[in-house]
Amino acid sequence: MIDLGDSDSDVVTGDTTDDSSDDDVKPEIVLPLGFLDPLTPEERALMNKKVSDPVHSSLRVTNEVSNVGETVGESNDVAVNEFKQFWNAGGYEAKGDRAAVETEPCNMDRLRVNPQFLHSNATSHKWALGAFAELLDNALDEVCNGASYVHLDVIKSKRDHSKMLLVEDNGGGMSPDMLRQCMSLGYSSKSGQDNTIGLYGNGFKTSTMRLGADVIVFSRSRGRDGGSSTQSVGMLSSTFLKRTNKDEIVVPMIDYKKGGSSWDMIVRSSRDDWRQNLDTLLVWSPFSSEAELFKEFDLIKDQGTRIVIYNLWQDDQGDLELDFDTDKYDIQIKGANRDEKKIEMANTYPNSRHFLTYSHSLRSYAAILYLRVPPGFRIILRGRDVEHHNLVNDMMYKQEHVYRPVRVSDDSVKGQSQAFASVIIGFVKDAKAHIDVQGFCVYHKNRLIRPFWRVWNAAGSGGRGIIGVIEADFVKPAHDKQGFEHTSVLIRLESRIREIQKKYWGDNCHQIGYVKGPFSGKQRGRPASDSGNNQASDSGEENCHQIGHAKGSIYGKRRGPDLNTPASDSGEDDNSVQPTTKKMKSVSNELKDDRQNAPEPSLKRRDHKQAAVPVTTVIHSQHPTNAGSNEIEKLKKENVELREKLKKIEGVNVASLKRELQYEKDRNNAMETKLKQAEEKIEEFDKEQETLIDIFSEERSRRDEEEDKLRRRLKEASKTIEDLEKKLKQLENRPPVVSCKIER
């Protein structure tokens, strides 16, 4: 036997002969000079480095544990006041020599992510409760893996007694590889699944970093395909990265594997690296020993994930951004999102409670976060269940509509043959109190994306009290899932919803005490209590002739006691007929000229007996009786002539108006017939268009399936090639087995 290396390296043996012979025996292979010399430690280290797994090389920790301990000792002794406010935590610049950075063994550059990116990435959540929603989504997606609850709570750190957030579920948990994918940026295994909410692979990082500076994740997973159970712990810590002046994101992780009744460490590179990861976790996390880490795993039981967010963000006054004290069963936020007046109104108007409190109360927001909750699934907030609430139950006078977009782009609805939005609209049950509550809650794949979206901003009280629920899976949500991407599909949806709301208001506003009317100008809906003045004025116009004023004529102008003086134009007479032709205008002008040329006393439109008394009295006081009698007779004749002439002119005018009215009716009937024909054609076109959309969708689905098959085959082929290349490299790096005969 010949040892081809030292005791620390791989031992390779060759065959030798036991027979000794004095004959000259020549070796079969001539070895190069120095080939059998033992490997030096440097050569051995280089070989081990080349065969190490490069996939996890980016998840490094500091090389010197002693340096970490020294730095941490300083950070524990000195109170650190910086990086406490979320919106001020972005100013970070790594110190040290950036040029002295390790390069990869393969001569390729790799993308380095600066720790400042964690803060920049988290700024997509401008609203803290939106970050909680991301964590709830991840738990709800685990229902398919057996999750029956998600628990959100506030716990205290044993190290510094500070408050920490806990998010725990009993889903399938994460294997070591899945946890590394969770900690990676942009990786998502849910983007192609229809029954999950996750889409972009960025929610965990943005949500946890929005709520606190650091997060540690414990996950236990049952063995898949007959494998052993595993448990892993990983930490994403801005504090660690900044206090140790890292210039790239480093994520320490350790893994265990179930071996009988104990848990054994899973070593990916070397035991020293595993220990360095553990030491970093114990120094920078709230847990100071490995035993405390195992206590956290024991709380998970068989499977699940336990997320602990610590070093929570503070406001400008140095207090925590989140409010844990106002309600011991709720998590609320302070600042601009909290309105004390709305909180008081919520107690008075219970049906509008979610509209008034969702912006600052996690319990209120979580109650309407999902349109439907899987049976048996519980959301537990600080020890008390969140009661799911369907906003449809807060409505009265409900209506249902279905909106189908004319065109749907490939990015909007992929793999669906039909796209539509279900719209339920109605008045909130507190609408009769005339409170300003309105908006549509828009859901995407069962998840609330846009709460109480106000699509109609009327100048008056139009639309007040109208709420709605929309489920639109064809509109793509934004990255923070608090709105939608501003596309043409969204613009068309908004326009259609606005039309539905306006029509609903016009048809039903009288149900809650507003005046029914059009939506233009100052005639928008107003409380019925304000309509008394209009009714009084109308009744006055109806009876003005009783006190000697002229009632509105067919020419659309009301006149007072003197017919030459028009009355106020503030009102309109619904029974009057407006002249519409030049001929009618000429007739009215002619009548006006005749009235102006007549003597002034005869212009009073009164009864003959009523007019005679005051005129006679005036004449008696100025002239003799005979002269007054003659004047009266003359006036009577003139009055009779004018009345006859007026009747003739009015008869002609009425006949002309009747002819014009009949002409307009006939024209209107013809237009209605044409309109019906056009509507029938439009319906035919819509059916043809829907048929074409269905055909294109089916063709697109077939194409997508074929592409998926080809991608899978290509992926399998690439994996096979990679495996063969690895085996080839191993064979190339392994020294050849040499058999030789030694002369004695």
Side-chain angles (χ1 to χ4, degrees):
M1 297 285 284
I2 298 177
D3 188 1
L4 299 181
D6 59 9
S7 59
D8 293 333
S9 61
D10 294 337
V11 177
V12 181
T13 62
D15 294 334
T16 59
T17 58
D18 294 333
D19 298 336
S20 60
S21 175
D22 295 336
D23 297 336
D24 296 335
V25 180
K26 295 182 179 180
E28 297 178 1
I29 299 175
V30 179
L31 298 176
L33 184 62
F35 180 78
L36 296 178
D37 294 341
L39 294 175
T40 64
E42 292 79 7
E43 293 173 338
R44 241 184 2 261
L46 180 60
M47 181 176 293
N48 291 334
K49 188 175 183 180
K50 288 184 178 180
V51 299
S52 62
D53 186 7
V55 176
H56 308 288
S57 61
S58 61
L59 303 176
R60 300 181 293 107
V61 296
T62 180
N63 292 328
E64 298 293 338
V65 179
S66 59
N67 293 340
V68 174
E70 293 172 2
T71 308
V72 174
E74 296 174 2
S75 64
N76 290 338
D77 295 337
V78 181
V80 182
N81 294 323
E82 60 220 8
F83 313 128
K84 293 296 184 180
Q85 290 83 27
F86 173 73
W87 297 108
N88 298 328
Y92 166 72
E93 184 175 356
K95 299 177 182 178
D97 186 6
R98 292 176 178 265
V101 180
E102 286 187 25
T103 57
E104 289 297 320
C106 56
N107 297 319
M108 255 192 285
D109 293 331
R110 65 175 180 177
L111 179 65
R112 295 182 182 276
V113 182
N114 191 277
Q116 187 176 351
F117 178 75
L118 292 176
H119 176 267
S120 302
N121 195 33
T123 55
S124 61
H125 285 293
K126 295 180 174 58
W127 183 41
L129 297 188
F132 282 103
E134 292 279 6
L135 299 175
L136 291 174
D137 292 344
N138 292 338
L140 191 70
D141 286 341
E142 286 296 310
V143 170
C144 59
N145 294 321
S148 61
Y149 73 87
V150 56
H151 185 204
L152 295 91
D153 208 345
V154 182
I155 58 178
K156 283 190 176 182
S157 170
K158 293 181 180 180
R159 174 163 285 176
D160 58 3
H161 304 289
S162 62
K163 292 182 179 180
M164 305 185 298
L165 287 172
L166 170 67
V167 183
E168 181 183 12
D169 67 74
N170 63 341
M174 292 180 282
S175 65
D177 289 336
M178 292 174 63
L179 180 59
R180 281 159 176 78
Q181 293 169 357
C182 175
M183 294 290 190
S184 301
L185 297 172
Y187 181 87
S188 176
S189 59
K190 308 174 186 177
S191 57
Q193 301 179 14
D194 294 335
N195 59 344
T196 58
I197 303 171
L199 182 63
Y200 297 106
N202 204 29
F204 172 79
K205 277 75 65 177
T206 58
S207 59
T208 54
M209 292 295 100
R210 174 62 185 87
L211 298 173
D214 312 302
V215 60
I216 185 169
V217 184
F218 301 86
S219 190
R220 178 176 286 178
S221 176
R222 291 176 178 174
R224 291 179 173 85
D225 300 328
S228 301
S229 298
T230 60
Q231 62 185 24
S232 304
V233 54
M235 180 181 70
L236 187 61
S237 172
S238 297
T239 305
F240 160 64
L241 297 173
K242 293 176 180 179
R243 297 298 295 172
T244 55
N245 295 320
K246 292 289 184 293
D247 64 345
E248 61 180 337
I249 297 176
V250 178
V251 184
M253 297 186 193
I254 57 174
D255 310 303
Y256 298 91
K257 185 176 182 180
K258 186 75 171 179
S261 59
S262 62
W263 291 91
D264 302 327
M265 66 176 67
I266 299 177
V267 179
R268 289 182 170 266
S269 56
S270 67
R271 288 179 176 270
D272 291 339
D273 290 341
W274 193 94
R275 285 292 175 188
Q276 288 174 4
N277 279 271
L278 176 61
D279 292 338
T280 305
L281 289 171
L282 299 181
V283 169
W284 293 98
S285 75
F287 310 99
S288 56
S289 66
E290 190 175 7
E292 291 185 6
L293 297 180
F294 270 94
K295 287 182 180 179
E296 295 296 310
F297 281 120
D298 292 339
L299 295 173
I300 298 176
K301 297 181 180 178
D302 293 335
Q303 65 177 18
T305 301
R306 187 175 175 88
I307 302 171
V308 179
I309 305 171
Y310 55 103
N311 287 334
L312 304 179
W313 297 117
Q314 300 177 357
D315 56 18
D316 295 336
Q317 286 73 34
D319 299 326
L320 290 179
E321 181 184 23
L322 299 174
D323 180 10
F324 304 112
D325 301 326
T326 301
D327 188 345
K328 65 178 181 179
Y329 297 113
D330 196 4
I331 297 176
Q332 301 182 0
I333 58 178
K334 307 173 185 177
N337 292 290
R338 185 182 182 88
D339 190 339
E340 296 298 334
K341 291 183 179 179
K342 288 185 176 181
I343 296 175
E344 294 178 2
M345 290 176 63
N347 297 326
T348 307
Y349 306 107
N351 295 298
S352 306
R353 177 169 54 88
H354 293 89
F355 173 86
L356 298 169
T357 60
Y358 83 93
S359 61
H360 76 273
S361 169
L362 179 58
R363 180 170 291 275
S364 177
Y365 177 53
I368 61 174
L369 184 59
Y370 303 107
L371 191 59
R372 296 170 294 274
V373 175
F377 186 80
R378 302 166 59 199
I379 300 177
I380 307 171
L381 179 58
R382 303 188 72 178
R384 179 176 290 182
D385 284 21
V386 174
E387 296 182 4
H388 175 255
H389 184 77
N390 192 337
L391 291 170
V392 177
N393 297 331
D394 293 335
M395 298 182 193
M396 58 183 180
Y397 309 117
K398 292 177 289 215
Q399 291 183 2
E400 294 187 15
H401 301 267
V402 176
Y403 166 70
R404 298 181 183 274
V406 177
R407 290 183 180 178
V408 179
S409 63
D410 293 344
D411 294 337
S412 300
V413 185
K414 187 174 182 179
Q416 296 185 12
S417 59
Q418 291 183 348
F420 66 92
S422 174
V423 182
I424 301 177
I425 187 174
F427 282 114
V428 68
K429 292 179 180 178
D430 299 321
K432 292 184 178 180
H434 306 304
I435 58 176
D436 191 12
V437 174
Q438 65 169 302
F440 292 83
C441 288
V442 188
Y443 290 82
H444 174 84
K445 289 187 177 181
N446 193 44
R447 158 76 141 82
L448 178 61
I449 302 296
R450 193 76 179 266
F452 297 103
W453 184 22
R454 193 159 182 161
V455 297
W456 181 26
N457 295 309
S461 57
R464 180 172 292 184
I466 296 177
I467 61 173
V469 174
I470 305 173
E471 188 173 14
D473 293 346
F474 59 88
V475 188
K476 194 172 183 180
H479 280 256
D480 61 350
K481 295 192 182 74
Q482 296 302 314
F484 293 97
E485 292 186 357
H486 196 70
T487 61
S488 58
V489 178
L490 178 64
I491 295 173
R492 288 197 294 268
L493 175 63
E494 180 181 5
S495 176
R496 179 56 181 153
I497 298 305
R498 189 184 300 112
E499 292 176 3
I500 291 175
Q501 184 178 3
K502 287 183 177 181
K503 187 177 186 306
Y504 181 87
W505 173 262
D507 295 341
N508 301 280
C509 64
H510 63 283
Q511 301 282 1
I512 61 172
Y514 287 87
V515 175
K516 188 175 181 180
F519 305 108
S520 59
K522 298 181 180 179
Q523 295 183 354
R524 283 193 178 94
R526 57 188 182 274
S529 59
D530 296 340
S531 61
N533 296 334
N534 295 335
Q535 293 175 358
S537 63
D538 291 341
S539 62
E541 291 163 3
E542 291 275 337
N543 301 287
C544 62
H545 65 285
Q546 300 289 348
I547 58 173
H549 291 270
K551 196 174 179 181
S553 68
I554 61 173
Y555 301 103
K557 292 287 186 179
R558 298 184 179 89
R559 301 184 180 273
D562 186 357
L563 292 180
N564 288 329
T565 305
S568 173
D569 293 335
S570 59
E572 293 182 0
D573 190 353
D574 294 336
N575 296 323
S576 63
V577 181
Q578 301 291 335
T580 58
T581 61
K582 294 182 178 180
K583 182 177 180 181
M584 287 186 287
K585 289 182 179 179
S586 63
V587 172
S588 63
N589 292 332
E590 184 178 297
L591 178 60
K592 185 176 181 180
D593 294 337
D594 292 338
R595 287 174 175 173
Q596 290 177 350
N597 295 328
E600 183 175 353
S602 65
L603 295 177
K604 296 183 181 293
R605 296 195 57 182
R606 296 185 183 180
D607 185 81
H608 174 71
K609 293 181 180 180
Q610 294 175 342
V613 176
V615 173
T616 305
T617 304
V618 174
I619 294 174
H620 273 294
S621 63
Q622 295 181 358
H623 301 283
T625 304
N626 295 333
S629 300
N630 294 333
E631 187 67 23
I632 290 172
E633 291 296 331
K634 185 178 179 181
L635 290 174
K636 286 181 180 180
K637 291 180 181 179
E638 291 179 354
N639 196 8
V640 170
E641 291 176 358
L642 287 174
R643 286 181 180 275
E644 291 177 354
K645 189 175 182 180
L646 179 62
K647 288 180 180 179
K648 291 180 181 179
I649 295 174
E650 287 182 348
V652 173
N653 193 16
V654 169
S656 176
L657 286 174
K658 287 182 178 180
R659 287 195 300 270
E660 292 290 337
L661 182 60
Q662 186 62 35
Y663 172 77
E664 292 295 334
K665 286 182 179 179
D666 296 338
R667 185 181 177 185
N668 189 23
N669 293 333
M671 294 295 291
E672 287 181 353
T673 304
K674 292 181 180 180
L675 180 61
K676 289 181 180 179
Q677 294 175 354
E679 288 177 350
E680 292 176 357
K681 289 183 180 180
I682 291 173
E683 288 180 359
E684 293 178 0
F685 291 151
D686 289 340
K687 290 180 181 179
E688 292 178 359
Q689 191 173 24
E690 290 179 358
T691 304
L692 291 175
I693 290 173
D694 293 340
I695 295 172
F696 290 151
S697 300
E698 292 176 0
E699 189 65 28
R700 192 183 304 117
S701 300
R702 294 173 188 166
R703 184 190 65 190
D704 293 338
E705 291 176 359
E706 189 67 24
E707 287 180 357
D708 291 339
K709 290 180 181 178
L710 293 175
R711 287 195 185 97
R712 286 195 296 269
R713 292 178 182 175
L714 180 61
K715 195 173 182 179
E716 292 173 356
S718 301
K719 188 176 180 181
T720 304
I721 292 172
E722 289 178 359
D723 293 340
L724 292 175
E725 287 178 349
K726 288 181 180 179
K727 291 180 180 179
L728 181 60
K729 287 181 180 179
Q730 291 176 358
L731 292 174
E732 288 177 352
N733 293 331
R734 180 177 297 176
V737 178
V738 179
S739 63
C740 59
K741 295 181 180 180
I742 308 299
E743 294 182 359
R744 297 191 177 182

